[in-house]
Amino acid sequence: MQEFFLYSIQEGLLFGILALGVFITFRCLNFPDLTVDGSYPLGAAVFALMMYRGYGPGVGIAVALGAGAVAGLFTGILHTFSRIPALLSGILTMICLYSINLRIMGRPNLSLSEYLGHRTLFTILRDSFPSVPEVYVRLVFLCGLIIFLKFLIDAFLQTEVGLSIRATGDNEVLVATQGIDPNDMKLIGISLSNALVALAGAMFAQYQGFVDINMGIGMVISGLASVIVGEVLLRGKTIFVMTLQVIVGSVVYRLATAIALNWGYSIGFKPYDLKLFTGLLVIIILSFPVLKEKFGKA
Amino acid sequence: MKRIGIVLFVVLLFGLALGVGAEEKVRIGIMQIIDHPALNAVRQGFIDAMKEVYGYEEGVNIEYDAQSAQGDIATANTIARKFVTEKVDLILSIATPTSQAAVNATKEIPIVFSAVTDPVSAGLVKDLEHPGGNVTGISDMTPVARQIALIKFLFPEAKRIGTLYNAGEVNSVVTNELAKKACAELGLELVEATVASTADVAMAAQSLVGKVDAIYVSTDNTVVSALDAVGNVCLTNKIPLILADPTTVGKGALCALGFDYYLHGRQTADIAARILKGEKPGDIPVEFAKKLFLLVNPKTVEALGLSAADLEAKLNEFVKAMEKEGVEVTLGKLE
């Protein structure tokens, strides 16, 4: 059973990368970005393409990051230049990406199996530490990766550009009076966010050993859920705490779904109830402050 | 407190005694990508054959944990992990992405896949004859070339064949490539219409009207889910519709040549039973459907203004030709 938790934690850390991306748009920029459902499989698709072309995982990840940034930039341009509302801009990019991802992959499902001669980051890691169980190797690596990303993002958000991005989310008009173009900040923020999301896609593709065109479905929701769960669990408004909240939230959220799948059936839980469970979990957490206020007063 | 302790101890002993006395149950984890009639039929066929043929009765000497990923790839991975940590005796994985998730999750627990069209390019097995490792199964590769040949045989004057499929389904993309090849070999042109969801199917079918002499639909999940829409368009415009799945021939199709997914599940059980008896999955070659069905829909025959007697004679001839090649075919009529 312990092993099951270890795997859920791994997945939580992997999705933590995606959640950090969602955090930048959703919390820093106040921009609900639905591009995620398309840029997540985009990262995976581009990564797979590079693998099939014979490149190593390093190149695949670099190209995935770039592709994600371009996808985000596209959404940003739709919003800032064409003045299309935020939600719609994301949805439009997401729809376009479905066809683009199919084009990139050439087919809807690509295997990264060792049988077909692919060596992903995880197989390389496993072979580098043959005496350590694979699950621990992955766990240590993923912890390292997410901590590295966390501090990178923390540092970035403290720079002048980072501060301007956060200010844009709070008050666009004020930012403009300071001589900063809020549109530029949005473009940078959304690109960065989707680069992270695509990285998560590329990493998850390696983790599961294949890419499927439908792997992006519901990713925005799981990213948002992670952000919100983290905020409820950990208090604090500093950047350091906020990014930590996202990572913790992502791990807890994955554990919750794993537990629902694992023990839910003993209380009459059916596999198709999972989405309802996810929805209810987010609703309860979102309603938490209101409930507390109402019942706290009474 | 002491008394409670004693009671608990007795209960524990009793439980242990029961546990030792009871026969060890075989545990099988079943995972499928989504609830879908064909995939559910595979699962049911598997469970039925395990009971009727091999004496594995649920709750008695076998236990199933059937899970569906509801189309969510991340969930498929979690389900696979669940089975691996519970150390089930065997995993039955239905459809391609679920099988990939299972294969990625364990190198020890035997995996039997089902309803996977191309197990080699999916990275499930290295070789169909000698899978090696802990994985084997059954491919639902539908006899595309025979289906196209049937269309040409029934309608020799046909030049262009229309087809609909979802470009997002890997199995459909594979069968479509085969259909294109089969058409080219027979001097036919394949006119493709792709859909992204069931909502697009009616319009896509309509777009083929006037461009094609017959429509062919393979085992695509999206199009089959909205097959009524295709059937309506075909009946209204008097276009013969030929399918790969005999179970859906009632939805306005003229005939269907293929296998039954329920029997597919039963055939999967044969493989699973061999593994439970001690054979290594890696030594069992990947199987294909053993039995084909050719099912005609008399209502459509009438609606298209075809002669039932002529058609039957032709179909009989076609079946005989296939049987000469060693393929077992059952010719039938929809009631």
Side-chain angles (χ1 to χ4, degrees):
Chain A
M1 211 28 52
Q2 185 203 359
E3 211 180 310
F4 189 67
F5 283 116
L6 292 181
Y7 279 108
S8 302
I9 292 169
Q10 276 183 52
E11 283 174 29
L13 293 172
L14 276 166
F15 284 118
I17 305 171
L18 176 134
L20 282 172
V22 171
F23 164 76
I24 291 174
T25 41
F26 183 60
R27 275 294 180 244
C28 298
L29 270 178
N30 201 13
F31 183 95
D33 182 21
L34 297 187
T35 315
V36 172
D37 276 18
S39 55
Y40 177 74
L42 172 70
V46 168
F47 181 86
L49 178 73
M50 288 296 129
M51 282 254 128
Y52 273 80
R53 290 258 167 102
Y55 293 97
V59 178
I61 286 170
V63 181
L65 275 167
V70 172
L73 192 65
F74 187 73
T75 301
I77 289 169
L78 289 186
H79 180 62
T80 57
F81 180 78
S82 303
R83 303 221 180 106
I84 297 171
L87 275 174
L88 194 54
S89 304
I91 291 173
L92 287 170
T93 311
M94 177 179 93
I95 294 182
C96 295
L97 280 174
Y98 185 83
S99 298
I100 291 169
N101 290 340
L102 273 175
R103 278 258 170 198
I104 292 169
M105 290 159 69
R107 49 191 296 164
N109 179 295
L110 282 177
S111 171
L112 298 176
S113 161
E114 284 183 279
Y115 281 147
L116 302 172
H118 298 296
R119 285 180 58 73
T120 65
L121 214 52
F122 291 114
T123 49
I124 291 170
L125 269 172
R126 183 199 61 201
D127 296 344
S128 312
F129 304 95
S131 53
V132 190
E134 195 181 3
V135 55
Y136 294 110
V137 179
R138 287 183 175 194
L139 215 51
V140 170
F141 170 74
L142 288 174
C143 279
L145 178 69
I146 198 96
I147 291 169
F148 171 73
L149 287 173
K150 180 205 151 32
F151 282 107
L152 211 61
I153 292 166
D154 286 357
F156 171 74
L157 290 175
Q158 314 278 9
T159 61
E160 202 170 318
V161 178
L163 285 167
S164 308
I165 285 176
R166 287 160 63 196
T168 305
D170 289 334
N171 190 333
E172 250 180 75
V173 183
L174 187 78
V175 169
T177 59
Q178 301 293 312
I180 302 164
D181 187 348
N183 284 348
D184 288 351
M185 295 305 117
K186 282 185 185 170
L187 290 179
I188 296 171
I190 301 168
S191 299
L192 177 66
S193 160
N194 282 290
L196 281 168
V197 172
L199 171 66
M203 293 305 297
F204 202 79
Q206 298 175 71
Y207 171 80
Q208 68 179 6
F210 68 97
V211 179
D212 194 281
I213 188 72
N214 297 317
M215 66 191 275
I217 297 171
M219 280 302 141
V220 170
I221 293 296
S222 81
L224 284 178
S226 304
V227 171
I228 294 160
V229 169
E231 283 168 4
V232 171
L233 291 173
L234 278 179
R235 308 253 148 206
K237 281 281 169 202
T238 62
I239 284 296
F240 178 86
V241 176
M242 282 166 93
T243 47
L244 190 66
Q245 284 171 346
V246 174
I247 297 163
V248 171
S250 175
V251 172
V252 170
Y253 175 73
R254 277 291 138 192
L255 278 173
T257 26
I259 288 168
L261 264 179
N262 217 24
W263 286 289
Y265 69 95
S266 58
I267 51 163
F269 184 91
K270 293 269 189 252
Y272 46 73
D273 294 331
L274 190 65
K275 293 207 168 154
L276 178 66
F277 170 82
T278 312
L280 288 178
L281 182 75
V282 178
I283 290 169
I284 291 168
I285 290 166
L286 279 174
S287 317
F288 209 71
V290 182
L291 290 173
K292 214 168 137 192
E293 197 179 310
K294 293 244 165 164
F295 293 99
K297 270 180 192 167
Chain B
M1 269 320 273
K2 228 178 203 171
R3 205 171 281 173
I4 293 172
I6 290 167
V7 169
L8 274 179
F9 185 68
V10 171
V11 168
L12 196 72
L13 274 183
F14 194 66
L16 272 176
L18 268 181
V20 172
E23 196 188 341
E24 188 82 352
K25 277 183 201 162
V26 174
R27 286 181 309 143
I28 294 188
I30 303 178
M31 55 191 297
Q32 66 191 67
I33 189 68
I34 199 158
D35 271 299
H36 175 284
L39 301 184
N40 292 350
V42 171
R43 188 185 64 210
Q44 200 53 49
F46 179 86
I47 293 173
D48 288 354
M50 286 301 276
K51 184 182 166 188
E52 292 158 19
V53 184
Y54 301 103
Y56 287 106
E57 198 168 338
E58 195 170 359
V60 179
N61 53 357
I62 198 162
E63 222 177 295
Y64 295 108
D65 183 357
Q67 301 267 3
S68 158
Q70 291 308 304
D72 191 273
I73 308 289
T75 309
N77 284 289
T78 313
I79 294 169
R81 291 290 176 212
K82 168 177 153 59
F83 291 159
V84 173
T85 42
E86 285 172 355
K87 297 193 171 57
V88 295
D89 297 299
L90 187 137
I91 296 174
L92 167 65
S93 62
I94 305 171
T96 305
T98 15
S99 303
Q100 287 169 322
V103 169
N104 188 51
T106 178
K107 297 275 172 280
E108 280 98 41
I109 296 174
I111 297 169
V112 178
F113 60 79
S114 198
V116 173
T117 297
D118 190 350
V120 174
S121 79
L124 301 178
V125 293
K126 204 168 189 173
D127 181 341
L128 294 176
E129 276 303 308
H130 311 281
N134 59 330
V135 187
T136 189
I138 167 166
S139 160
D140 69 348
M141 175 56 82
T142 189
V144 179
R146 289 188 196 284
Q147 288 150 357
I148 300 290
L150 173 66
I151 301 174
K152 178 80 181 167
F153 188 78
L154 294 177
F155 306 99
E157 65 290 343
K159 291 271 174 292
R160 281 170 301 181
I161 312 289
T163 191
L164 302 124
Y165 70 100
N166 179 354
E169 279 183 34
V170 63
N171 290 349
S172 311
V173 173
V174 174
T175 51
N176 193 63
E177 279 161 15
L178 292 172
K180 218 188 279 178
K181 207 176 130 212
C183 279
E185 278 166 11
L186 292 171
L188 295 165
E189 191 192 332
L190 190 71
V191 184
E192 299 166 40
T194 58
V195 301
S197 75
T198 49
D200 307 335
V201 173
M203 205 176 70
Q206 199 66 51
S207 78
L208 293 172
V209 175
K211 290 186 202 154
V212 298
D213 308 304
I215 290 181
Y216 163 71
V217 171
S218 193
T219 47
D220 185 90
N221 287 319
T222 313
V223 178
V224 171
S225 299
L227 202 61
D228 289 290
V230 186
N232 281 336
V233 169
C234 287
L235 286 177
T236 321
N237 298 285
K238 294 206 187 273
I239 302 171
L241 171 65
I242 285 87
L243 304 177
D245 180 6
T247 51
T248 47
V249 77
K251 300 186 172 186
L254 175 66
C255 61
L257 171 66
F259 55 82
D260 181 295
Y261 271 93
Y262 177 79
L263 293 179
H264 198 69
R266 292 189 72 106
Q267 200 179 330
T268 314
D270 298 339
I271 302 174
R274 284 169 68 182
I275 293 167
L276 292 177
K277 278 185 192 126
E279 272 190 67
K280 285 202 179 108
D283 298 337
I284 302 174
V286 172
E287 290 185 7
F288 293 84
K290 283 177 181 156
K291 244 177 155 177
L292 294 183
F293 293 86
L294 178 48
L295 201 61
V296 189
N297 183 352
K299 274 189 191 156
T300 313
V301 176
E302 201 178 307
L304 293 178
L306 299 169
S307 150
D310 277 3
L311 190 77
E312 207 177 320
K314 274 189 166 180
L315 289 174
N316 270 318
E317 203 182 318
F318 190 80
V319 168
K320 264 187 201 137
M322 272 201 287
E323 274 168 354
K324 256 186 205 160
E325 292 174 40
V327 186
E328 195 188 327
V329 195
T330 312
L331 181 61
K333 254 187 221 167
L334 189 73
E335 295 299 315

